[in-house]
Amino acid sequence: MVAIKDRLKPDTTVKIGYGDGGIENPRFIIGYWSIRGLAAPLRMMLSAATVNHWVVMYDLKEEGDSSWSKEAYLVN
């Protein structure tokens, strides 16, 4: 079975670690679109609690006049 962190195909990944060297094995991985900042409270809580985590952001790309590409977010 492939680990979820090996299946990520983000546009941006920010790795946040605290002292114990566990940055490559984060306790949490937050996946979110890079718009609106609605995941900010969760990121702040994890940082305030000094919990190792990754922030994985996906960019939405416009497809025509009325739809958006979700290709980067949907992982097979």
Side-chain angles (χ1 to χ4, degrees), residues 1 4 10 13-14 20 23 36 38-39 41-42 50 66-67 69 73:
M1 181 173 192
I4 188 69
T13 301
V14 179
D20 64 359
I23 192 66
R36 299 187 65 196
L38 297 176
L42 179 57
T50 63
S66 61
S67 66
S69 171
Y73 191 73

Side-chain angles (χ1 to χ4, degrees), residues 19-75:
D20 64 359
I23 192 66
E24 291 305 320
N25 294 306
R27 187 164 177 194
F28 295 98
I29 299 174
I30 304 167
Y32 201 73
W33 294 279
S34 59
I35 57 171
R36 299 187 65 196
L38 297 176
L42 179 57
R43 293 191 309 259
M44 287 185 272
M45 286 185 273
L46 289 172
S47 294
T50 63
V51 174
N52 293 337
H53 62 284
W54 290 3
V55 177
V56 177
M57 290 183 261
Y58 300 91
D59 292 333
L60 288 180
K61 296 171 182 78
E62 196 168 358
E63 286 184 339
D65 293 336
S66 61
S67 66
W68 297 90
S69 171
K70 300 169 205 73
E71 181 181 332
Y73 191 73
L74 300 174
V75 179

Side-chain angles (χ1 to χ4, degrees), residues 2-14:
V2 178
I4 188 69
K5 69 180 183 176
D6 296 328
R7 295 173 50 202
L8 299 174
K9 297 177 186 171
D11 296 302
T12 304
T13 301
V14 179

